[in-house]
Amino acid sequence: MALLTPETVTITSAQHQEPLIFRYSTMILSDGRTRYEGTSAENALTLTLERGQCLDTMSGEQFGWAAQAVINGMIYHGCAKKGDL
């Protein structure tokens, strides 16, 4: 799961024991996609959000955004929803 605030992206997952917190330095808007690029002490993150239907294969829930996170070269795919920033 990723939580995006105006200053940070926090990633929690089964692969990482502790949440990874990234300060993002770049936000690129193009072709209906938003990309956030950030770093933490030991990790690099690129988070791309794209507007469009996304089906969560585990829950069957529909979302309005598709998400791709690349953490240190490992690619993770999922869905996203718009919250309050």
Side-chain angles (χ1 to χ4, degrees):
M1 181 177 91
L3 175 64
L4 181 67
T5 70
E7 296 178 1
T8 62
V9 176
T10 302
I11 304 286
T12 56
S13 72
Q15 291 86 1
H16 301 97
Q17 292 180 355
E18 297 291 324
L20 301 174
I21 300 172
F22 299 89
R23 289 201 172 277
Y24 59 85
S25 57
T26 307
M27 184 173 24
I28 303 164
L29 304 172
S30 65
D31 301 333
R33 292 183 288 172
T34 305
R35 177 170 290 160
Y36 302 88
E37 297 175 354
T39 57
S40 68
E42 301 171 359
N43 301 289
L45 167 75
T46 300
L47 175 64
T48 304
L49 302 176
E50 185 171 0
R51 187 88 165 124
Q53 289 189 357
C54 181
L55 176 66
D56 183 318
T57 56
M58 291 182 70
S59 70
E61 189 175 353
Q62 289 275 348
F63 291 88
W65 296 83
Q68 176 182 288
V70 180
I71 303 171
N72 297 333
M74 295 292 298
I75 300 172
Y76 303 90
H77 294 277
C79 300
K81 64 181 178 180
K82 186 174 182 175
D84 297 325
L85 284 179

